[in-house]
Amino acid sequence: MNPAYPPQNYAADTVPLQGTLPPGAPGQPQNSTVLQYTTVNINSEPPKDHIIWSICSLVYGNPCFLGLAALIFSVKARDRKMVGDLNGAKHYGATARCLNIWATVLLSLIFLIFFIVVIVTSVTAANAVHSYSSNNYNFRG
């Protein structure tokens, strides 16, 4: 447990700044006691770069080089995240995700069409062999 981060969750508007205002602070009236609050927006989840999905898209099937493009955008998203540009990382991560979706859909369609062609060819060949063997049997006897 980190002592810098207490286990309680505080609302952003209920945490006062530490210390009090010195007398005669610039911009503050002299006789009023005003508490200043600060709001800190912390994103609980950093933007995703989808690099594992991009590597799988590149290695296991790379239709139209979408896996390679997705990997490039994933690396750019990771670089932006390391620099601290979270908006850029989010943009590149979303592009990598979109490219990965397209690569996965196209690869799935290619496999589906391939299996359908194999099944149709096998059934057609089996029917041809069966009809050929039944026609030869009728001519012998």
Side-chain angles (χ1 to χ4, degrees), residues 105-121:
V105 167
L106 284 176
L107 189 64
S108 299
L109 285 174
I110 289 169
F111 278 137
L112 182 67
I113 290 170
F114 175 75
F115 285 130
I116 289 173
V117 167
V118 167
I119 290 171
V120 168
T121 305

Side-chain angles (χ1 to χ4, degrees), residues 54-133:
S54 299
I55 291 171
C56 291
S57 293
L58 176 68
V59 172
Y60 292 119
N62 196 8
C64 303
F65 296 106
L66 289 175
L68 178 63
L71 183 63
I72 290 169
F73 277 99
S74 294
V75 170
K76 284 183 177 183
R78 182 162 285 195
D79 289 344
R80 292 282 95 199
K81 187 167 47 171
M82 291 300 150
V83 170
D85 180 15
L86 296 181
N87 288 333
K90 186 177 179 181
H91 173 71
Y92 284 127
T95 305
R97 180 176 178 255
C98 183
L99 290 171
N100 279 322
I101 289 171
W102 277 105
T104 303
V105 167
L106 284 176
L107 189 64
S108 299
L109 285 174
I110 289 169
F111 278 137
L112 182 67
I113 290 170
F114 175 75
F115 285 130
I116 289 173
V117 167
V118 167
I119 290 171
V120 168
T121 305
S122 299
V123 168
T124 304
N127 286 339
V129 168
H130 178 68
S131 66
Y132 178 75
S133 64

Side-chain angles (χ1 to χ4, degrees), residues 5-30:
Y5 298 106
Q8 300 94 319
N9 291 330
Y10 294 108
D13 59 344
T14 61
V15 180
L17 291 174
Q18 293 180 349
T20 59
L21 293 175
Q28 298 292 329
Q30 294 295 328

Side-chain angles (χ1 to χ4, degrees), residues 40-58:
V40 178
N41 294 327
I42 299 175
N43 291 337
S44 61
E45 186 176 328
K48 296 183 180 181
D49 53 12
H50 305 286
I51 196 152
I52 302 297
W53 191 6
S54 299
I55 291 171
C56 291
S57 293
L58 176 68

